[in-house]
């Protein structure tokens, strides 16, 4: 590796629920980039390398007013973080970046429809699993999750055991994915 190589550690939260029997994944629109990916963010220095602390903080920042330990738990999907790269990073002027990421499955401790009705959905959307599996422009973290799990996205633990009635979830969670560029509704870029 060269001295120009950048390293990034990221914690991602994966919320998968069955809506009307069909698996859906929650995507978050990143304000800075105008694209859609998993909820999550960088492991900060004050978290001293704790992926779990970073995941809990990111979930609470991006999914208010839900609270870790009260409304949901986060369970690591992999026994250790995944690594990939180098790939260009938009947040670092396309510098080559190697990534280490841990993925956490969200498990609701409360009724998911009630929890979702309390959330602000302006930057959140549920996307059917089939869309994520076939769309070529899916974000790199979703691609990594899909390819590194033995059974693909079907292997992701569900956030709740029962299917949720779509009418109990605010309709804004199902609005079309839109981006500032409109060219690709779900970006393949990393940050």
């Amino acid at each position: 590796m060269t001295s120009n190589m950048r390293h990034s550690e990221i914690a991602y939260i994966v919320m998968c629920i069955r809506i009307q029997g069909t698996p859906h994944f929650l995507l978050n629109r990143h304000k800075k980039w105008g694209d859609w990916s998993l909820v999550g963010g960088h492991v900060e220095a004050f978290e001293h390398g704790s992926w779990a602390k970073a995941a809990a903080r990111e979930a609470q920042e991006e999914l208010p007013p839900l609270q870790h330990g009260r409304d949901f738990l986060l369970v690591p999907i992999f026994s250790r973080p995944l690594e990939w790269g180098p790939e260009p990073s938009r947040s670092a002027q396309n510098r080559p970046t190697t990534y280490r990421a841990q993925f956490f499955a969200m498990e609701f401790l409360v009724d998911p429809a009630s929890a979702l009705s309390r959330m602000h959905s302006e930057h959140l959307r549920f996307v059917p699993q089939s869309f994520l599996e076939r769309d070529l422009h899916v974000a790199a973290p979703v691609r990594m999750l899909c390819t590194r799990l033995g059974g693909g996205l079907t292997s992701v633990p569900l956030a709740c055991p029962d299917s949720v009635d779509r009418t109990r979830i605010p309709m804004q969670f199902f609005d079309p994915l839109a981006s500032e560029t409109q060219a690709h509704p779900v970006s393949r870029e990393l940050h």
Side-chain angles (χ1 to χ4, degrees):
M1 287 189 215
T2 68
S3 59
N4 193 31
M5 187 69 63
R6 180 175 173 261
H7 305 281
S8 184
E9 295 188 339
I10 306 171
Y12 288 110
I13 295 88
V14 184
M15 182 195 299
C16 177
I17 63 173
R18 282 180 294 153
I19 301 172
Q20 303 300 116
T22 301
H24 283 68
F25 285 78
L26 186 72
L27 296 183
N28 181 40
R29 183 172 187 267
H30 293 276
K31 296 173 192 170
K32 184 174 182 179
W33 306 112
D35 65 2
W36 296 85
S37 188
L38 298 171
V39 169
H42 292 93
V43 178
E44 302 293 347
F46 64 84
E47 290 161 329
H48 307 288
S50 172
W51 301 95
K53 285 182 184 177
R57 175 185 51 77
E58 288 289 343
Q60 290 183 182
E61 287 176 5
E62 296 183 21
L63 304 174
L66 301 188
Q67 293 292 312
H68 181 262
R70 182 191 73 197
D71 298 308
F72 65 89
L73 294 176
L74 297 172
V75 179
I77 294 176
F78 299 98
S79 60
R80 61 183 190 185
L82 301 183
E83 298 182 23
W84 68 90
E87 291 189 19
S89 170
R90 287 193 297 171
S91 65
Q93 294 75 45
N94 290 323
R95 270 181 57 202
T97 302
T98 58
Y99 293 90
R100 289 183 70 218
Q102 181 57 286
F103 294 79
F104 293 83
M106 178 179 274
E107 290 183 4
F108 278 109
L109 297 173
V110 298
D111 174 58
S114 296
L116 293 167
S117 69
R118 292 187 282 131
M119 293 170 55
H120 307 288
S121 60
E122 180 181 344
H123 298 288
L124 301 168
R125 296 294 182 273
F126 279 112
V127 176
Q129 177 178 320
S130 60
F131 173 87
L132 295 179
E133 291 172 336
R134 75 172 184 269
D135 192 284
L136 299 177
H137 304 294
V138 71
V142 178
R143 283 197 323 268
M144 286 299 132
L145 184 62
C146 190
T147 60
R148 301 282 180 99
L149 281 171
L153 294 179
T154 303
S155 300
V156 172
L158 293 169
C160 60
D162 299 321
S163 186
V164 178
D165 186 334
R166 183 177 170 132
T167 63
R168 295 190 60 217
I169 300 172
M171 291 308 298
Q172 297 88 335
F173 278 103
F174 302 101
D175 286 349
L177 299 181
S179 69
E180 291 173 3
T181 63
Q182 295 296 318
H184 301 295
V186 182
S187 172
R188 69 180 85 154
E189 300 287 336
L190 291 170
H191 307 299

